[in-house]
Amino acid sequence: MSNLSSLAEIQKKLEYYCVYQDRCHQEVKQKLFELGVNSSDMDLIVVHLIEHNFLNEERFARSFARGKHRIKFWGLKRIKNELNARNISSANIKLGLTEISNEEYHATFETIAERTWNSILERNALKKRKKFCDYLLRKGWESEMIYEKVREFENAR
């Protein structure tokens, strides 16, 4: 990595990598590791990306939370766990979760719960209940919300 032009090329490559999609520090460091960059050059590149606003963990946390909730219909618990797994600070996680309003959160839950309940063709009521609960728990929704919704669906039959 002593060659300055190759360092500039790698820096440019990482700029494009960060522009294409918001990235967290861990993803950028993993990419640099895959490119074979040594740790001192890695630090220089990360500092450059932060200084020029290519890398911003608050922005990453906000877009991650927004996207995973609106596109993949994840609940707050799953989003929080995934951000923790990416070593995002708890302050940035809180800021990211503010992107999801309570009204939007509950509306999304109602929609996904209804769709999931109707899509499970299981005849056995206990198995249907288990499949429903397991699916929504995996998606990171709160268990109280799930069990309340199950009771609502079962009482409606």
Side-chain angles (χ1 to χ4, degrees):
M1 267 299 106
S2 59
N3 188 350
L4 201 57
S5 67
S6 66
L7 183 62
E9 289 171 11
I10 290 174
Q11 191 168 298
K12 197 54 111 179
K13 185 178 244 183
L14 266 289
E15 287 176 0
Y16 288 124
Y17 181 69
C18 292
V19 167
Y20 176 73
Q21 173 183 322
D22 278 328
R23 308 288 180 176
C24 66
H25 294 292
Q26 182 180 348
E27 291 171 331
V28 169
K29 287 181 180 175
Q30 179 62 38
K31 182 72 168 175
L32 288 167
F33 180 76
E34 289 170 6
L35 293 172
V37 177
N38 65 42
S39 62
S40 61
D41 290 340
M42 194 181 289
D43 292 339
L44 289 173
I45 292 172
V46 169
V47 167
H48 167 79
L49 294 173
I50 292 169
E51 285 175 348
H52 292 87
N53 207 22
F54 288 104
L55 192 57
N56 182 325
E57 287 215 327
E58 179 186 336
R59 185 178 63 217
F60 170 79
R62 287 178 182 273
S63 68
F64 183 89
R66 212 176 26 249
K68 296 301 181 185
H69 179 71
R70 293 181 183 156
I71 297 168
K72 294 204 173 206
F73 307 113
W74 285 3
L76 293 178
K77 292 171 98 178
R78 173 95 186 253
I79 294 169
K80 218 180 282 187
N81 288 340
E82 293 289 334
L83 287 171
N84 271 326
R86 288 168 172 74
N87 298 321
I88 305 299
S89 70
S90 58
N92 283 335
I93 291 174
K94 283 181 184 169
L95 287 172
L97 295 178
T98 62
E99 291 291 306
I100 305 166
S101 70
N102 277 340
E103 297 81 27
E104 178 187 5
Y105 189 70
H106 289 289
T108 302
F109 176 75
E110 293 295 325
T111 304
I112 190 128
E114 186 82 32
R115 185 181 332 145
T116 303
W117 184 261
N118 292 331
S119 71
I120 299 173
L121 303 175
E122 183 64 55
R123 293 185 193 279
N124 183 325
L126 290 176
K127 286 183 180 178
K128 182 171 184 167
R129 176 178 225 205
K130 180 173 178 9
K131 286 181 180 183
F132 176 80
C133 293
D134 287 350
Y135 177 76
L136 291 176
L137 286 169
R138 264 193 318 278
K139 288 276 193 180
W141 295 94
E142 289 76 5
S143 55
E144 308 83 43
M145 291 173 70
I146 296 168
Y147 297 134
E148 185 179 314
K149 189 49 95 173
V150 163
R151 284 189 291 277
E152 184 182 311
F153 285 141
E154 289 177 338
N155 291 337
R157 277 192 297 153

